Amino acid sequence: MITAEEYGKLPNGEIAYLYTIVNRHGNRLSITNYGCRIVALTIKDKVGDYRDVVLGYDDLDGYVNDKHWMGAALGINVVNRTSGSTVHDGVKVFVSDGESKPEDAQDSVLFGDKLFDCIIVGQENQETIVMSCEHKLQNGKINISVSYCFSEDNQLIVSENVVSDTNIEFNFVQQVMLNLNGQGAIDGHTAIVNAKYVGSTHGRWTPSEYTPVEGRVNLNAPKSLKNLSKAKHKLIKKSDGLDLSYQLNINPTDVGTDKLFYAGRVRAKNSAIKVEVHTSKPNLYFYTANRLDGVIGKKQTKISYTQPDNNFDNVNVKKGGVYNKHMGFCIYPTTHHNIVAANRPYTHKTIYKFVVR
């Protein structure tokens, strides 16, 4: 079931809407068409309490003034040119040449502040939210369509379709900052990434090269996200946490197909909630909220399942409200760097599967 309601007015007077999907477990996903922002995602934990595992804000004004692009759809490094590339085991990874030319006109489109059109398709309990918008480039235009489904078995399915009328370098991502306990530091989380190569970002959107994970931050075995500020590893120490882009350990012949790859997972000990990521994209970005500093975020993070009729209103909740570094993490698939050919659809799918065990 999907419900829609007015979420508030933007500074220009336009009205943003909030769409909520509730599945048979009572878990719910809320998205606003302002920037395709995922506002909330509640998952019932091991003791039967609902935890909102998405960092964000209590109202639309919070997202309008947001400097961290929480929950937003982003189009990064949109450039009207092609770039150089490197090849690892037959997998082509595009790398910017670093040259700046007036005719290249880098747009760096951030869709988080755009108001998307929205329709709901499908039948009851199988409904999908589809959001779309058109953006004008200096030498053309690009059309974005993103669909969201929250299944009965707690899978958030995000499907992207991008069409440009000119060749562009483009990387579309859905940035969701998670905390599987709902609040507090992510010390009790452990992570795995299925990767062969890694490239550091150090606060930039994309890395310039990838090198083997051996001897670097190798997450092929479970790694605790504890004491990140005190880590001795030079890459973690330099960024004050994880800020890395990984190239997944996948079959090169499967790249560019509809096949979904296992990208990794994160599990929280306290709530016993785990998120597994499967995607058709060849790269994965992992970031541990190193730049959050006293951000005033949402206050309602945990809701007791014992309330009658699963009522989410007027219940006692733990108070959060302030986000500091390492209180969340981003684990989202990417395509660094990706060339979208003119008038050829660019499509990808990512599944975030939430389980409690």
Side-chain angles (χ1 to χ4, degrees), residues 227-292:
N227 297 327
L228 290 168
S229 293
K230 299 179 180 179
K232 295 181 179 180
H233 196 291
K234 63 180 181 180
L235 282 179
I236 300 178
K237 189 175 182 179
K238 184 173 183 178
S239 297
D240 197 13
L242 294 176
D243 190 357
L244 300 166
S245 176
Y246 289 89
Q247 183 176 321
L248 298 179
N249 184 10
I250 55 181
N251 188 333
T253 61
D254 291 329
V255 177
T257 69
D258 293 332
K259 185 173 181 177
L260 296 180
F261 314 118
Y262 170 66
R265 62 89 168 148
V266 179
R267 182 181 184 272
K269 182 178 179 180
N270 186 4
S271 64
I273 297 173
K274 178 175 73 172
V275 58
E276 293 180 356
V277 182
H278 299 260
T279 184
S280 59
K281 297 183 179 183
N283 301 95
L284 187 79
Y285 179 57
F286 203 114
Y287 167 64
T288 51
N290 311 326
R291 293 178 290 278
L292 288 185

Side-chain angles (χ1 to χ4, degrees), residues 132-313:
S132 59
C133 77
E134 179 180 285
H135 176 76
K136 291 184 179 179
L137 302 169
Q138 189 170 69
N139 298 319
K141 64 181 179 180
I142 184 170
N143 289 281
I144 308 291
S145 177
V146 191
S147 67
Y148 302 87
C149 176
F150 189 44
S151 70
E152 297 299 315
D153 55 352
N154 299 326
Q155 295 189 60
L156 168 58
I157 305 169
V158 182
S159 300
E160 312 158 14
N161 186 286
V162 177
V163 179
S164 172
D165 61 3
T166 186
N167 293 336
I168 60 170
E169 180 183 320
F170 184 74
N171 178 22
F172 183 89
V173 299
Q174 181 77 48
Q175 177 164 287
V176 186
M177 199 167 291
L178 299 169
N179 182 317
L180 300 179
N181 289 328
Q183 60 186 18
I186 56 173
D187 282 1
H189 291 58
T190 57
I192 291 178
V193 173
N194 176 31
K196 293 182 67 176
Y197 299 94
V198 61
S200 58
T201 65
H202 302 316
R204 298 166 55 193
W205 283 116
T206 56
S208 59
E209 63 179 351
Y210 287 85
T211 57
V213 295
E214 287 76 17
R216 305 195 79 192
V217 184
N218 187 348
L219 297 182
N220 281 303
K223 182 178 179 61
S224 172
L225 302 181
K226 186 177 181 179
N227 297 327
L228 290 168
S229 293
K230 299 179 180 179
K232 295 181 179 180
H233 196 291
K234 63 180 181 180
L235 282 179
I236 300 178
K237 189 175 182 179
K238 184 173 183 178
S239 297
D240 197 13
L242 294 176
D243 190 357
L244 300 166
S245 176
Y246 289 89
Q247 183 176 321
L248 298 179
N249 184 10
I250 55 181
N251 188 333
T253 61
D254 291 329
V255 177
T257 69
D258 293 332
K259 185 173 181 177
L260 296 180
F261 314 118
Y262 170 66
R265 62 89 168 148
V266 179
R267 182 181 184 272
K269 182 178 179 180
N270 186 4
S271 64
I273 297 173
K274 178 175 73 172
V275 58
E276 293 180 356
V277 182
H278 299 260
T279 184
S280 59
K281 297 183 179 183
N283 301 95
L284 187 79
Y285 179 57
F286 203 114
Y287 167 64
T288 51
N290 311 326
R291 293 178 290 278
L292 288 185
D293 183 15
V295 176
I296 304 301
K298 65 175 69 169
K299 296 180 177 64
Q300 299 187 3
T301 58
K302 182 179 177 183
I303 301 173
S304 175
Y305 183 61
T306 60
Q307 296 298 319
D309 301 322
N310 300 338
N311 185 5
F312 276 64
D313 300 320

Side-chain angles (χ1 to χ4, degrees), residues 7-28:
Y7 194 40
K9 283 188 177 181
L10 298 172
N12 63 4
E14 292 184 291
I15 297 175
Y17 286 84
L18 185 69
Y19 301 86
T20 299
I21 305 175
V22 183
N23 69 14
R24 62 186 176 90
H25 301 290
N27 294 323
R28 58 184 61 198

Side-chain angles (χ1 to χ4, degrees), residues 81 95-100:
R81 62 179 169 87
V95 180
S96 295
D97 55 24
E99 296 181 4
S100 178

